[in-house]
Amino acid sequence: MRAIWKGAVSFGLVSIAVRLFSATEEKDIRFHQVHREDGGRIKYKRVCSVDGEEVKFDDIAKGYDIGGGEMVVLTDDDFAELPLSTSRAIEVLEFVPAEQVDPILYNKAYYLEPDGAATKPYVLLREALGDADRVAIVKVALRQREQLATLRVHDDVLLLNTMLWPDEVRAPEFGFLDDDIEVRPAELAMASSLIDSMAADFDPETYSDNYRAALQEVIDAKVEGREIVAPEEEEEAAPAATDLMAALRASVERARAARGESDPQPTTSEGTKKAAPAAKKTSSGSAATKTAAKKTDDEAAPAKKAAPAKKTATPAKKTTAAKKTASAAKKTTASRSAAKKAS
């Protein structure tokens, strides 16, 4: 890496000499504009719009358009006279909790390396920052522009994050913010369930730039003169569902299926509401059962009318008993006659 800036961190009365390095780099595949016929590079000339002449780089200055076709020209001397007290220093202003800095303010990241004999105070500031669990708010001038920044520890190195000024952050001005949109508790519960089903610990190594990899493959194939294999097409996104609850429920089921999780019974208020009609159907079913039972009783009514047949069977039983009694009486009479004769 090549240092892009040299200066010092001003920490109270302690000065720490440092060198600044870009902490990030873009991995986009860059192209040149070329002539389609022969591949020749396309060149642009700096031409003055007034006289049509080509202008050398050393003759180019900065101009500020004040409107009406008028331009104020500023030279390097004009910029040199600006009061940039932090032109070669990173001035620590205060130490604040990291969560109080809105991420929307962050711009670019730079590593700080101790320069020369500044290693010990550098390590001292690094350890103190780590123990305090805070970030330092600093001011620094980079490329003739004063910027607000934070200083924190990353991988045992001091990291400088330049920040936007508050007036550089646009306010969200959208019409829907004035609309009174009601979110039902069931929808909120289902959305929370979807978030829970997709919850994970962030690991940036699990993600990759598939487009860049495919584009590099196309370039390599061109260079090697081999056939370009078209990458597999990704599954098209499902069309937007008109029913929000249905879309949320389907999303939860898909997320759980992707993780191999079973779909538990719904516990949301929507599920409870849906159970009510089932209970109603059960009540209706009970009513139907009662009706069927009533019909069965009505069908069984003729059997009750047949009951007199049982009464008819009763006299028959009585007749049989009478016959048995008569037979016993005859036997008794015969025994008495036999006894008289014997006497």
Side-chain angles (χ1 to χ4, degrees):
M1 292 189 292
R2 183 176 62 87
I4 62 174
W5 183 90
K6 286 186 178 182
V9 176
S10 177
F11 175 39
L13 297 178
V14 179
S15 182
I16 308 171
V18 294
R19 293 189 296 168
L20 200 69
F21 298 84
S22 293
T24 60
E25 60 179 336
E26 293 185 359
K27 291 289 188 177
D28 289 343
I29 297 176
R30 301 183 181 277
F31 296 95
H32 297 291
Q33 289 185 328
V34 297
H35 187 200
R36 187 188 301 276
E37 299 297 329
D38 53 21
R41 290 278 301 275
I42 304 299
K43 294 184 178 180
Y44 293 90
K45 294 182 179 180
R46 299 179 179 90
V47 179
C48 177
S49 60
V50 177
D51 57 19
E53 297 291 330
E54 185 176 354
V55 182
K56 296 180 180 180
F57 184 79
D58 293 339
D59 293 332
I60 296 176
K62 291 182 173 65
Y64 181 78
D65 189 355
I66 60 176
E70 296 186 61
M71 193 77 66
V72 174
V73 179
L74 299 176
T75 65
D76 292 340
D77 293 337
D78 295 324
F79 287 102
E81 294 178 0
L82 293 176
L84 286 177
S85 58
T86 57
S87 59
R88 284 296 167 189
I90 300 174
E91 181 185 0
V92 178
L93 304 177
E94 57 186 358
F95 297 92
V96 302
E99 62 270 15
Q100 292 184 1
V101 182
D102 193 327
I104 196 174
L105 294 171
Y106 287 129
N107 193 4
K108 293 182 179 180
Y110 301 92
Y111 288 132
L112 294 182
E113 180 193 33
D115 191 13
T119 303
K120 184 171 182 178
Y122 178 97
V123 173
L124 176 63
L125 177 58
R126 183 193 68 187
E127 297 300 316
L129 266 179
D131 292 342
D133 195 23
R134 288 174 177 259
V135 297
I137 301 298
V138 303
K139 271 188 178 182
V140 60
L142 298 175
R143 298 183 178 89
Q144 295 185 329
R145 181 177 182 234
E146 188 174 63
Q147 299 185 60
L148 196 65
T150 62
L151 201 60
R152 61 187 179 92
V153 181
H154 177 74
D155 287 344
D156 290 335
V157 177
L158 291 179
L159 183 72
L160 182 81
N161 277 105
T162 58
M163 301 166 63
L164 301 172
W165 295 99
D167 58 357
E168 293 179 315
V169 179
R170 295 176 176 176
E173 298 176 353
F174 304 105
F176 80 93
L177 295 174
D178 297 327
D179 298 337
D180 186 13
I181 301 175
E182 181 182 358
V183 176
R184 294 185 299 161
E187 295 171 340
L188 183 59
M190 188 62 71
S192 299
S193 179
L194 176 58
I195 292 175
D196 291 340
S197 64
M198 298 177 66
D201 293 325
F202 177 63
D203 181 8
E205 297 297 329
T206 61
Y207 303 95
S208 60
D209 189 346
N210 296 331
Y211 176 82
R212 176 160 57 93
L215 181 57
Q216 187 64 56
E217 174 62 24
V218 171
I219 295 173
D220 293 342
K222 283 271 189 178
V223 172
E224 298 170 6
R226 55 185 170 85
E227 183 180 354
I228 301 174
V229 179
E232 296 182 3
E233 295 184 0
E234 294 186 2
E235 184 180 351
E236 295 184 0
T242 56
D243 186 348
L244 182 57
M245 278 299 297
L248 289 170
R249 190 176 294 106
S251 300
V252 171
E253 292 174 357
R254 184 174 66 175
R256 285 176 177 154
R259 295 193 175 194
E261 299 176 2
S262 59
D263 189 12
Q265 295 297 324
T267 56
T268 62
S269 55
E270 181 74 7
T272 305
K273 288 181 180 178
K274 288 199 168 186
K280 190 174 182 182
K281 288 180 181 179
T282 304
S283 301
S284 302
S286 299
T289 306
K290 291 178 180 179
T291 305
K294 189 174 181 181
K295 287 181 179 180
T296 305
D297 292 343
D298 292 341
E299 291 173 358
K304 288 184 179 180
K305 290 182 180 179
K310 290 183 180 180
K311 292 181 180 179
T312 307
T314 303
K317 289 181 181 179
K318 286 183 179 180
T319 305
T320 305
K323 287 181 178 179
K324 289 181 179 180
T325 304
S327 177
K330 286 181 179 179
K331 289 181 180 180
T332 304
T333 305
S335 299
R336 286 178 181 176
S337 300
K340 283 182 181 182
K341 288 177 180 181
S343 56

